[in-house]
Amino acid sequence: KEKSDSVTSLEIENLSKEEWIKKHAINVSSTSPNDDNFLDLQPLKEKIGNSNIVLLGEQSHGDGTTFLAKTRLIKFLHKEMNFDVLLFESGIYDCKKVNDFLQNGDAAYGAVSHGVFGIWTLSAQFQDLIQYIGANRNSLEIGGVDLQFTGKASKNFFIKDLEELLTENNIDTNRFAVWANFKKTIQKI
């Protein structure tokens, strides 16, 4: 095998994948979102270091135990490491509206369900995270990373918000003959 300029830690340490995992794994004592004893997660502080972004994935969108474990990890990252932005694979606009609703004092479930995909918000294992988001609405910002319109918020508010934005910037939509057709198209999307 030729050496590449990019050498992985596996090549440096000359370990098998299994050995590398055993050496670097962190034993987690609980996946319960209600377990706030984060002693088992403390080694993550060294692993994460000064990183600004931590990605939390899943095997599938329907893995309930993963939702529970990720909720606990999110609480740890927020409480212990001061991470203050939580991004979902949901619409950018829709999740911006989630924050607006939360800041306006809306109930957590109602706010989150306006923007975050139902595969999560309708899951029993996701409810603890929704409650945590609501309880921490002043220190945890919600965002989306999907360019699609994914939630109820875009269906119910996007056109109105767009028209307000255009008006604030002195753009008169009545000048555009195609505006009515544009609105219909956007509403279908």
Side-chain angles (χ1 to χ4, degrees):
K1 210 173 171 181
E2 286 186 26
K3 268 191 168 180
S4 68
D5 291 344
S6 170
V7 179
T8 67
S9 57
L10 286 175
E11 292 168 320
I12 292 170
E13 299 177 30
N14 199 24
L15 298 175
S16 71
K17 289 178 186 176
E18 215 174 292
E19 291 170 323
W20 187 91
I21 289 171
K22 284 179 183 176
K23 182 176 179 181
H24 292 91
I26 295 171
N27 289 324
V28 176
S29 65
S30 172
T31 59
S32 171
N34 299 315
D35 184 355
D36 286 342
N37 178 353
F38 298 127
L39 189 60
D40 59 324
L41 300 179
Q42 295 303 312
L44 289 175
K45 288 181 178 179
E46 183 181 332
K47 302 275 186 196
I48 294 170
N50 293 327
S51 298
N52 293 317
I53 298 171
V54 175
L55 299 175
L56 302 176
E58 66 222 6
Q59 292 296 323
S60 77
H61 290 327
D63 185 353
T65 302
T66 299
F67 293 160
L68 298 173
K70 285 198 315 187
T71 298
R72 185 166 182 254
L73 282 169
I74 290 164
K75 287 180 172 183
F76 169 77
L77 292 167
H78 182 239
K79 289 179 177 181
E80 297 275 324
M81 298 190 69
N82 300 314
F83 281 86
D84 59 359
V85 176
L86 178 58
L87 301 177
F88 288 98
E89 182 189 349
S90 291
I92 293 169
Y93 171 81
D94 294 283
C95 286
K96 186 246 183 266
K97 292 301 281 187
V98 168
N99 274 318
D100 292 348
F101 295 128
L102 289 168
Q103 294 310 306
N104 287 333
D106 288 19
Y109 181 80
V112 174
S113 67
H114 268 91
V116 177
F117 274 124
I119 54 174
W120 295 298
T121 59
L122 297 173
S123 165
Q125 294 86 355
F126 195 77
Q127 301 312 301
D128 287 315
L129 181 57
I130 292 173
Q131 293 309 309
Y132 185 78
I133 289 168
N136 292 278
R137 65 182 73 218
N138 295 321
S139 63
L140 187 60
E141 185 175 344
I142 304 305
V145 296
D146 200 318
L147 297 175
Q148 301 177 71
F149 294 119
T150 60
K152 294 183 284 188
S154 53
K155 180 180 179 185
N156 296 329
F157 304 103
F158 180 74
I159 293 292
K160 178 181 149 290
D161 286 351
L162 178 60
E163 288 177 326
E164 286 176 10
L165 176 69
L166 294 171
T167 300
E168 288 170 12
N169 287 282
N170 300 315
I171 298 171
D172 181 9
T173 58
N174 293 320
R175 292 186 332 200
F176 304 104
V178 297
W179 183 251
N181 287 337
F182 173 77
K183 281 175 50 171
K184 286 179 188 175
T185 303
I186 291 295
Q187 287 169 333
K188 286 180 185 177
I189 294 174

